[in-house]
Amino acid sequence: MTGVRRPGGTRVLPGDPPGGRRALAMWGVGVSVYFVAVTFRTSLGVAGLDAADRFGVNASALSTFSILQLLVYAGMQIPVGLLVDRLGTKKVLGIGAVLFTVGQLGFALSPTYGMALASRALLGCGDAMTFISVLRLGTRWFPARRGPLIGQLAGLVGMAGNLVSTLVLARLLNDVGWTAAFAGSALAGVVVLVLLLLFLRDHPEGHAPEPVPHQGAAYVRRQIAASWREPGTRLGMWVHFTTQFPAMVFLLLWGMPFLVEAQGLSRATAGELLTLVVLSHMVFGVVYGQIVARHYGARLPLVLGTVGMTALLWAAALVHPAETAPMWLLVVLCTGLGACGPASMIGFDFSRPVNPPERQGTASGITNMGGFIASMTTLFAIGVLLDATGDDYAVAFSAVFVLQAFGITQILRLRGQAARRERERLVAGRVESVHVPV
């Protein structure tokens, strides 16, 4: 097996992207768009009370903002994957940046609840175009062996955007008010759009993908069907489904009410615990990325271990014999929830090896739907159960266990098929690139 020797004792086969500083620069431009998208996505998390006052709505109407945004995001994943495969990263990221910037500006200026809801839907549509594009950019610019780490780093940058909305936008809302804070933040979208248009390239020279002739609806059906037939794609989706949603539901909507109303904490203390989830996510992201990059066989154990850990921590917090859980347990719970996002990223490490380059966007879109479908389902289920039980959080949050159990059954059902198919791909030499130690 021949190839080009790279310093550090590896041999890179033809077709493997070179990586290096230029790759890092290109990826940095792309991931900056994702960073801003996540900042806009999570901005409502710190503005919920302000939004309720501004639009004169109750808690149910307020939760519709988050559910609609996730609905649009999840529904756009396969179309966006197809667009990335067809148009390339730069065009799709550019469209996304325009949409989420207009959505954020529209949210700042909306005088009515209906217009604000439409603005959040537009923001969700643009946001949906960013993550899959950044994943595709990583596969085009970095060697395949760097894929797990690059994916986790992208998720880490996204959580940094969450921190910005938590720490910076919250202060701006208090200091300058609703319109100035949201309209001012929209300028960040303009900045990253300019950077993207000026500097971003889809791939290194000499590594352009084979052109895919567009054949209308037949092409779309084939792309989706071929991606779905791969057990690794379906396994990736169920991994994403089972791991991501507990932390997302906690951060997007129900964490603050649970900590304040059920656990009796102050809003300031609850906010610190939510920030702990974000910081923990960033640490786990680096650790999981390094582990998977060095030990590919650790993927499934990390996933199952994370699901088991979060289930045990939730159970301990919800059924604690005291009226409220002790602070140390809540700290451990929030720290453990930080592993959910990095574990969900492992889903892409199951779908990536079994899909050729021309299907990476579509396969990533299918995978990425999983966690957002689970999050929408759980957001709705917890709200219904809270209303039905008179705000019994122990019963309401039991929805988490139901979805985790369902997801685990699907993961266990598909793991053998996916492993066999991945081995077949590797043996046949049909993966995009291979890392060979010498």
Side-chain angles (χ1 to χ4, degrees), residues 1 3 41 93 144 159 176 189 238 244 253 288 312 325 349:
M1 193 174 292
R41 178 202 305 172
L93 271 180
M159 293 308 289
V176 302
W238 286 113
Q244 187 199 46
L253 188 59
Y288 278 23
L312 286 174
D349 296 319

Side-chain angles (χ1 to χ4, degrees), residues 105-417:
L105 183 61
F107 196 56
L109 303 177
S110 294
T112 65
Y113 173 72
M115 290 183 64
L117 205 60
S119 296
R120 294 306 285 188
L122 189 64
L123 191 158
C125 186
D127 179 20
M129 296 185 172
T130 59
F131 186 65
I132 292 175
S133 298
V134 169
L135 288 180
R136 174 64 172 263
L137 196 65
T139 64
R140 288 300 184 199
W141 280 94
F142 292 94
R145 64 189 177 89
R146 298 293 187 192
L149 182 58
I150 293 299
Q152 291 289 356
L153 289 177
L156 188 152
V157 171
M159 293 308 289
N162 196 333
L163 272 182
V164 168
S165 64
T166 301
L167 301 176
V168 178
L169 188 60
R171 181 170 296 180
L172 283 175
L173 279 168
N174 184 62
D175 292 343
V176 302
W178 178 280
T179 301
F182 278 97
S185 67
L187 292 175
V190 177
V191 171
V192 295
L193 178 61
V194 172
L195 289 175
L196 182 154
L197 294 175
L198 291 178
F199 301 111
L200 188 64
R201 300 292 181 270
D202 280 347
H203 49 76
E205 292 183 11
H207 290 268
E210 290 292 330
V212 180
H214 184 52
Q215 299 175 3
Y219 164 77
V220 172
R221 287 195 298 269
R222 278 199 304 271
Q223 285 286 90
I224 296 174
S227 297
W228 183 256
R229 278 197 300 268
E230 293 289 353
T233 303
R234 284 175 279 141
L235 177 60
M237 185 194 73
W238 286 113
V239 166
H240 202 269
F241 176 100
T242 311
T243 52
Q244 187 199 46
F245 78 93
M248 177 164 283
V249 166
F250 197 78
L251 286 172
L252 278 183
L253 188 59
W254 293 119
M256 182 69 76
F258 169 75
L259 294 171
V260 173
E261 296 179 1
Q263 301 301 318
L265 302 181
S266 67
R267 288 182 177 268
T269 303
E272 291 171 357
L273 287 174
L274 294 179
T275 302
L276 176 61
V277 177
V278 177
L279 294 174
S280 174
H281 176 120
M282 298 172 77
V283 174
F284 274 110
V286 175
V287 173
Y288 278 23
Q290 291 282 6
I291 292 174
V292 174
R294 296 176 182 180
H295 307 284
Y296 223 47
R299 290 173 297 172
L300 200 56
L302 283 175
V303 167
L304 298 177
T306 300
V307 175
M309 174 187 68
T310 53
L312 286 174
L313 290 175
W314 266 121
L318 294 176
V319 303
H320 194 273
E323 186 175 345
T324 59
M327 178 57 71
W328 69 264
L329 180 54
L330 296 176
V331 169
V332 174
L333 170 65
C334 290
T335 302
L337 287 175
C340 292
S344 72
M345 292 296 300
I346 297 174
F348 299 100
D349 296 319
F350 285 106
S351 66
R352 187 187 302 116
V354 295
N355 285 280
E358 64 272 14
R359 283 208 312 264
Q360 287 293 326
T362 306
S364 295
I366 293 172
T367 299
N368 206 31
M369 286 177 61
F372 292 93
I373 291 172
S375 296
M376 284 188 298
T377 303
T378 310
L379 281 168
F380 178 74
I382 290 175
V384 170
L385 289 170
L386 284 173
D387 288 340
T389 61
D391 293 339
D392 188 330
Y393 280 88
V395 173
F397 273 88
S398 64
V400 171
F401 306 124
V402 175
L403 267 73
Q404 283 183 323
F406 180 67
I408 285 293
T409 61
Q410 299 303 310
I411 290 172
L412 296 179
R413 181 177 65 85
L414 288 165
R415 60 177 179 171
Q417 301 174 46

